[in-house]
Amino acid sequence: MIHPSPHIFEQTPETLSAWCAERGWPKFRAKQVFDWVYAKGVADPHAMSNLKPAEREQLAAEMNFLSGDTVAHQMATDGTQKLLIEWRDSGVANRESTGTSLPIVGGKGDTSRQTECVMIPAESEEGAERKTACVSSQVGCPVGCRFCASGIGGLDGNLSTGRIVEQVWRLARLPNVGRISNVVFMGMGEPLSNFKAVTDAVRRMAAPTDQGGLGISARKITISTVGLPQAIERLAEEMELPVTLALSLHAPNDDIRRDLIPWANYTTIQDLLAACSKWFSKTGREITLEYIMLGGINDQKQHAEELAQVARTLRANVNLIRYNEVAGMPFSRPRTEDVRAFQEILREQRVNVHIRASRGRDIAAACGQLRHEKAQA
């Protein structure tokens, strides 16, 4: 059996030092390699000039650095940038390995290995510039939300820890980007069904650069889930870092949610609220409730009133997200006046609610759109 080369973005100081020692290299080589990759932004071993020529050759031959190819790069008028990456097969885990007993919706069964990641610039509340990386955790998605382009065709596989971290590294090196300040797991895939790779990736992102990490504050890393109660509880127990949890609720009641999200047939909103309450009790971290607004489906007055009741059972913030249209899907973007009225009802019920700014609409920045459009071309 041929084992894939280890990925540089999965290495800790201990594992990389051991790798170097096995090859008879000096102890300080691991620190030098980390400095090239994370501080200098160099992922070509042949350019690492303070390594011996033979060491550079061996590093290039035996360690995986950039394990995919950028097949599309788009830049929106608001500064949002999006990459479509085609991964080489050896690092995409079997699609059956989802880490959950819930069924995989669809499944193309082909060799597609493309995922998307997005860099979203914004100004923080403190006035500082914020650069957010929106990353994928899987190739495709097993959930199959009716309104989402990510799940068209189902799940093709899990991304490794290295490939998740690699997305952030790549985005930081796009024009006019520089340091990434925030990360959200809101790209393709259900993060908690690729649990170990995602949580290990968070640890590498939060580690200091001289210790094989990206140096991003864990408080600025958000894991978004469609709702796996047992996985939420496991995350609370096993994730020692203070990450933010976002629940993709998208409906104020179980009937609408089951129409929109196939996996909602296997759980209830009450089950999810109970798991989120345990999360808050364990971590002290508020939940973010993500709510995609679909014109005429979940954006009316009665829906706002129901959602307010749900939100007030938790220490939660609500993000209202206006739907980005996807070709071939029977959903429409809600009217601005309906979104504003919806927000006002929640505020009257003392719910902390925000309308998320739509970014990158001119480059199909919604999750899965670019891959879907390329496949249709």
Side-chain angles (χ1 to χ4, degrees):
M1 178 179 179
I2 299 175
H3 295 280
S5 301
H7 201 303
I8 191 63
F9 293 117
E10 295 179 358
Q11 303 306 306
T12 66
E14 295 75 21
T15 61
L16 188 57
S17 294
W19 188 91
C20 292
E22 288 173 359
R23 286 150 184 82
W25 297 8
K27 291 183 178 179
F28 54 82
R29 282 289 186 256
K31 186 174 181 180
Q32 289 178 318
V33 173
F34 280 152
D35 181 66
W36 279 108
V37 173
Y38 292 106
K40 296 183 174 69
V42 173
D44 178 6
H46 296 101
M48 299 179 181
S49 56
N50 54 359
L51 275 64
K52 295 178 180 179
E55 292 171 341
R56 290 178 231 166
E57 291 295 334
Q58 191 170 21
L59 189 62
E62 299 181 19
M63 181 68 70
N64 201 349
F65 282 77
L66 299 183
S67 58
D69 301 300
T70 298
V71 295
H73 172 209
Q74 296 181 334
M75 182 179 291
T77 54
D78 63 11
T80 299
Q81 298 189 59
K82 187 167 194 173
L83 296 179
L84 181 64
I85 301 172
E86 176 123 19
W87 303 103
R88 295 165 205 134
D89 288 354
S90 62
V92 178
N94 189 292
R95 64 182 295 274
E96 301 295 337
S97 178
T98 61
T100 172
S101 60
L102 294 181
I104 297 169
V105 176
K108 293 182 294 184
D110 61 16
T111 57
S112 174
R113 292 292 182 268
Q114 295 181 348
T115 61
E116 302 171 2
C117 55
V118 185
M119 190 290 299
I120 306 168
E123 187 175 293
S124 69
E125 294 179 357
E126 297 78 22
E129 191 173 33
R130 184 173 65 218
K131 304 285 181 63
T132 298
C134 179
V135 299
S136 297
S137 56
Q138 296 178 305
V139 181
C141 184
V143 181
C145 296
R146 309 296 186 202
F147 51 82
C148 181
S150 287
I152 295 175
L155 177 72
D156 285 306
N158 290 327
L159 289 178
S160 66
T161 294
R163 290 183 170 183
I164 295 171
V165 179
E166 182 179 329
Q167 293 171 71
V168 184
W169 190 93
R170 284 173 174 269
L171 290 171
R173 273 132 200 99
L174 293 176
N176 304 313
V177 177
R179 187 178 183 277
I180 294 291
S181 61
N182 298 64
V183 176
V184 293
F185 283 82
M186 296 181 183
M188 299 175 67
E190 163 51 53
L192 294 189
S193 71
N194 189 13
F195 190 94
K196 187 177 188 308
V198 165
T199 52
D200 284 349
V202 169
R203 294 183 180 97
R204 299 273 43 84
M205 292 173 189
T209 55
D210 62 353
Q211 295 178 31
L214 295 171
I216 299 170
S217 169
R219 295 181 182 275
K220 295 183 178 180
I221 299 175
T222 298
I223 297 176
S224 178
T225 176
V226 76
L228 303 171
Q230 291 182 335
I232 291 172
E233 294 176 23
R234 180 184 173 191
L235 186 68
E237 292 294 329
E238 297 185 18
M239 177 49 68
E240 69 284 356
L241 298 172
V243 299
T244 296
L245 178 68
L247 173 63
S248 296
L249 190 63
H250 303 326
N253 59 59
D254 287 322
D255 287 341
I256 294 177
R257 199 165 193 269
R258 287 166 183 158
D259 284 341
L260 297 175
I261 304 172
W263 276 14
N265 286 289
Y266 302 93
T267 189
T268 66
I269 291 177
Q270 195 60 43
D271 293 334
L272 295 172
L273 296 178
C276 289
S277 292
K278 291 180 181 178
W279 163 271
F280 179 77
S281 298
K282 179 70 176 179
T283 68
R285 304 277 293 163
E286 290 187 350
I287 305 290
T288 297
L289 298 179
E290 304 283 347
Y291 193 92
I292 292 263
M293 298 193 69
L294 304 166
I297 292 177
N298 64 354
D299 64 341
Q300 302 303 299
K301 179 176 183 293
Q302 67 270 25
H303 302 138
E305 292 170 346
E306 287 184 272
L307 180 60
Q309 294 179 20
V310 170
R312 290 180 61 187
T313 65
L314 294 170
R315 286 287 298 274
N317 302 302
V318 175
N319 273 346
L320 301 179
I321 307 163
R322 287 165 286 190
Y323 181 64
N324 279 338
E325 304 91 334
V326 177
M329 289 191 168
F331 299 99
S332 61
R333 189 173 173 87
R335 301 184 305 169
T336 298
E337 54 266 36
D338 289 338
V339 177
R340 295 293 182 190
F342 197 99
Q343 180 188 41
E344 189 57 35
I345 292 171
L346 290 170
R347 285 180 170 173
E348 289 172 355
Q349 296 293 320
R350 300 186 301 281
V351 174
N352 186 15
V353 56
H354 305 277
I355 299 172
R356 185 187 295 173
S358 296
R359 307 303 301 269
R361 276 176 55 77
D362 54 330
I363 60 166
C367 183
Q369 277 188 287
L370 180 55
R371 187 178 82 147
H372 176 57
E373 291 185 0
K374 290 288 183 182
Q376 299 301 307

